Amino acid sequence: MKTNQGIETGQSVERTVSTLNTPLFPFKVGLFGIGLDTYWAQFDGLEARLKGYLQRVESRFSRPGVEVVNLGLVDSPEKALVAGHQFRQADIDLLFIYVTTYALSATVLPVVQRAKVPVIVLNLAPEPAINYEWFNQLNDRTRMTGEWLAYCSACPVPEIANVFRRAGIPFHQVTGMLENDPEGWQEIDEWIEAGRVAHIMAHNCLGLMGNYYSGMLDIYSDLTLQNATFGGHMKIVEVDELSALRETVSAEQVKERTAVFAETFDVQADCLSEELDRAARTSIALDQLVEIHGLGSLAYYHKGSGNPANEDTMSSVILGNSLLTARGIPVAGEYEVKNAQAMKIMDSFGVGGSFTEYYAMDFADDVVLMGHDGPGHIRIAEGKTKVRPLYVYHGKVGRGLSVEMSVKNGPVTLLSVVENGNGKISLLVAEGESVPGPILQIGNTNSRYRFSPGARNFVQTWNSHGPAHHCAVGVGHIASKLAKLGALLNVEVILVC
């Protein structure tokens, strides 16, 4: 059984696997081909040929983090009923129907009804076209019909679509070729990847530590709606527990973690050793907290005023939270649950997912400056992330060390998980580019982003969808993958650019 390996981390940051990839619940893709049993006795070699096509599809599905459940060629309503039970017993997450030739819709509906998972119909021709000249010279109409049937995968798709629509079953399609079709296979790969991310979200444990930043009405979330949409579990953890764990950290552990800081970050000369020790102690405690509760992500905020231990804890979390984010356990500040979800989605796609918001607009260069205080996703940084001391956390209690980084120059995608006034969630997406240029050297994450509509039009359009002021940014353009994730979760996806 293969597990999701994700993208590699730096030498000093070891990725841990929490509940999202427990061997008890691997991500499983169901696959079966459809045909008509009446054909096999009529057309010599057709069944074996189609089974060979199905094996080629299975081989293309195989990859780390994906377990393929292939039930072979289903060619009768009786076999369809059995296959439906088998897929349900196998606990598949996603179901691909490979249409090899004409098949009765009665060989499809029982499978899908019983499996009860999202469905993708594969209409894949074995070659770009029939060799018409060779075909018409066969001079054997039975053989010619058998040859044609090996190419007629498109034939039953309208029938299947009609039955699915009448049965109220959502479905998706990929139309293309079995071989030498990069466009078609990219679509298939993206469906598999989107299914894997949906599986991760369904098994993720999101920790909630502290309380909302008072007065930020846009970040208040409906936790039940989040669970109902993405699945997973939310666990409330106490700042007091983290403070207590800090007290158990040894001097040797602190020394080892400060060495990790020195290797991972570009620690500036004005960072005091006592502040590095304080951050190291909290970082070790954060690792322990994550391990104790099996957390795959975390949203946090706590003033810490009135309790010296908690203030000491919460003013020293940024480096530790940045290391957690780099390990695939994204941490969102200001108790921003929606953005913790967005960051987890982006990181699960392997593109990072750093906490961000508008910082300013640069009309001279037609870019938007975006970033945030607190932890950053150091694995998608342009160069080594700097550590700087801050003498005040603006708008918050305490002072201490913070990180300063820009996202790697090149294509980026923004994602906002939006709670709408209609009691539903939507995914707001924009593709742009991280570009070089001057940033604000204030000890925060911040970057310069250019968008195809221009800074003015991008900002107005993005804002018109009511996104809240936080979003997650990742490297690369993955809007098409996010669109497929939304389709699997029955969530609206809005593409701004």
Side-chain angles (χ1 to χ4, degrees):
M1 185 181 298
K2 298 177 181 178
T3 58
N4 170 34
Q5 295 173 348
I7 54 180
E8 294 181 355
T9 66
Q11 293 180 348
S12 61
V13 184
E14 181 180 354
R15 183 185 180 110
T16 61
V17 180
S18 65
T19 54
L20 62 93
N21 276 323
T22 169
L24 292 175
F25 306 107
F27 171 56
K28 295 182 181 181
V29 169
L31 170 66
F32 72 107
I34 55 172
L36 185 57
D37 57 357
T38 307
Y39 291 156
W40 313 146
Q42 295 177 329
F43 306 105
D44 187 46
L46 179 61
E47 181 183 15
R49 184 174 176 180
L50 300 181
K51 286 182 176 178
Y53 293 162
L54 183 59
Q55 285 301 121
R56 284 153 72 180
V57 172
E58 180 185 355
S59 68
R60 293 288 296 268
F61 276 19
S62 298
R63 65 200 68 192
V66 178
E67 184 176 315
V68 181
V69 180
N70 181 4
L71 296 188
L73 208 56
V74 175
D75 55 12
S76 70
E78 292 77 15
K79 288 183 180 178
L81 183 60
V82 173
H85 282 278
Q86 289 176 325
F87 279 132
R88 191 162 177 178
Q89 290 165 355
D91 190 28
I92 62 169
D93 298 277
L94 200 60
L95 181 59
F96 286 87
I97 304 169
Y98 174 36
V99 185
T100 66
T101 186
Y102 176 74
L104 301 169
S105 50
T107 63
V108 180
L109 185 61
V111 184
V112 174
Q113 284 179 316
R114 178 64 57 174
K116 295 187 184 301
V117 295
V119 177
I120 297 96
V121 177
L122 302 181
N123 172 13
L124 304 177
E127 294 178 17
I130 298 171
N131 185 332
Y132 305 107
E133 182 178 357
W134 170 85
F135 180 91
N136 288 324
Q137 291 178 354
L138 289 175
N139 294 321
D140 180 337
R141 299 207 180 278
T142 299
R143 185 182 173 194
M144 292 168 73
T145 301
E147 186 69 26
W148 156 62
L149 287 172
Y151 282 84
C152 79
S153 56
C155 178
V157 176
E159 176 180 340
I160 294 168
N162 173 272
V163 172
F164 281 171
R165 287 291 296 271
R166 291 165 71 179
I169 296 172
F171 68 98
H172 313 283
Q173 305 175 65
V174 177
T175 301
M177 296 180 292
L178 184 59
E179 304 288 353
N180 302 315
D181 184 5
E183 180 182 350
W185 277 98
Q186 180 179 333
E187 285 288 301
I188 294 170
D189 290 341
E190 288 186 354
W191 280 116
I192 294 174
E193 186 72 357
R196 187 186 62 81
V197 173
H199 179 268
I200 288 173
M201 296 301 291
H203 295 82
N204 183 54
C205 182
L206 167 60
L208 306 176
M209 184 173 67
N211 45 265
Y212 286 115
Y213 190 116
S214 179
M216 293 169 60
L217 304 182
D218 62 313
I219 64 171
Y220 297 170
S221 293
D222 181 339
L223 302 186
T224 302
L225 178 61
Q226 292 289 328
N227 283 140
T229 302
F230 296 107
H233 173 57
M234 295 185 185
K235 182 179 289 188
I236 296 174
V237 295
E238 299 293 342
V239 175
D240 291 336
E241 181 181 5
L242 182 60
S243 296
L245 289 170
R246 288 183 81 246
E247 297 302 316
T248 68
V249 176
S250 69
E252 183 61 28
Q253 287 175 305
V254 169
K255 182 179 179 182
E256 291 173 355
R257 186 52 56 98
T258 55
V260 170
F261 290 165
E263 183 180 355
T264 305
F265 300 103
D266 180 7
V267 180
Q268 301 298 288
D270 54 350
C271 294
L272 299 176
S273 59
E274 51 264 38
E275 285 294 337
L276 288 165
D277 288 351
R278 199 162 68 92
R281 184 175 297 278
T282 305
S283 179
I284 295 292
L286 281 164
D287 289 352
Q288 294 173 353
L289 186 77
V290 164
E291 183 68 23
I292 289 169
H293 296 287
L295 303 183
S297 54
L298 177 67
Y300 79 99
Y301 175 74
H302 187 66
K303 284 184 178 180
S305 57
N307 184 324
N310 286 348
E311 183 176 344
D312 195 37
T313 296
M314 299 310 293
S315 62
S316 57
V317 296
I318 293 176
L319 269 62
N321 284 342
S322 295
L323 293 185
L324 285 176
T325 300
R327 283 171 42 194
I329 305 170
V331 182
E334 295 174 358
Y335 211 73
E336 176 57 288
V337 172
K338 300 188 300 300
N339 215 36
Q341 301 279 62
M343 292 164 69
K344 186 67 179 180
I345 289 169
M346 297 295 277
D347 193 73
S348 298
F349 273 118
V351 300
S354 201
F355 200 94
T356 197
E357 64 183 25
Y358 295 151
Y359 260 21
M361 295 184 67
D362 184 333
F363 288 97
D365 288 341
D366 198 26
V367 298
V368 183
L369 276 63
M370 302 182 76
H372 208 276
D373 63 338
H377 203 308
I378 59 179
R379 284 159 58 205
I380 62 170
E382 181 70 32
K384 215 169 188 180
T385 298
K386 292 181 172 62
V387 176
R388 296 188 186 275
L390 297 183
Y391 303 102
V392 62
Y393 287 152
H394 66 276
K396 301 178 175 71
V397 172
R399 58 189 173 87
L401 302 179
S402 187
V403 296
E404 180 181 286
M405 57 159 271
S406 292
V407 170
K408 288 178 182 177
N409 294 157
V412 297
T413 302
L414 303 185
L415 171 64
S416 179
V417 171
V418 183
E419 288 191 14
N420 301 298
N422 59 3
K424 294 183 178 180
I425 283 174
S426 59
L427 302 181
L428 185 62
V429 179
E431 292 182 336
E433 184 182 6
S434 173
V435 297
I439 62 168
L440 310 177
Q441 298 178 15
I442 55 174
N444 292 177
T445 67
N446 56 112
S447 301
R448 301 165 64 84
Y449 298 114
R450 179 167 287 124
F451 300 95
S452 57
R456 185 195 309 266
N457 290 331
F458 163 74
V459 165
Q460 291 196 162
T461 306
W462 181 269
N463 293 349
S464 70
H465 296 288
H469 76 289
H470 296 138
C471 65
V473 59
V475 294
H477 286 166
I478 66 162
S480 59
K481 294 182 180 180
L482 291 168
K484 291 177 176 62
L485 175 65
L488 296 178
L489 296 174
N490 193 28
V491 170
E492 179 187 20
V493 178
I494 302 167
L495 181 62
V496 171
C497 56

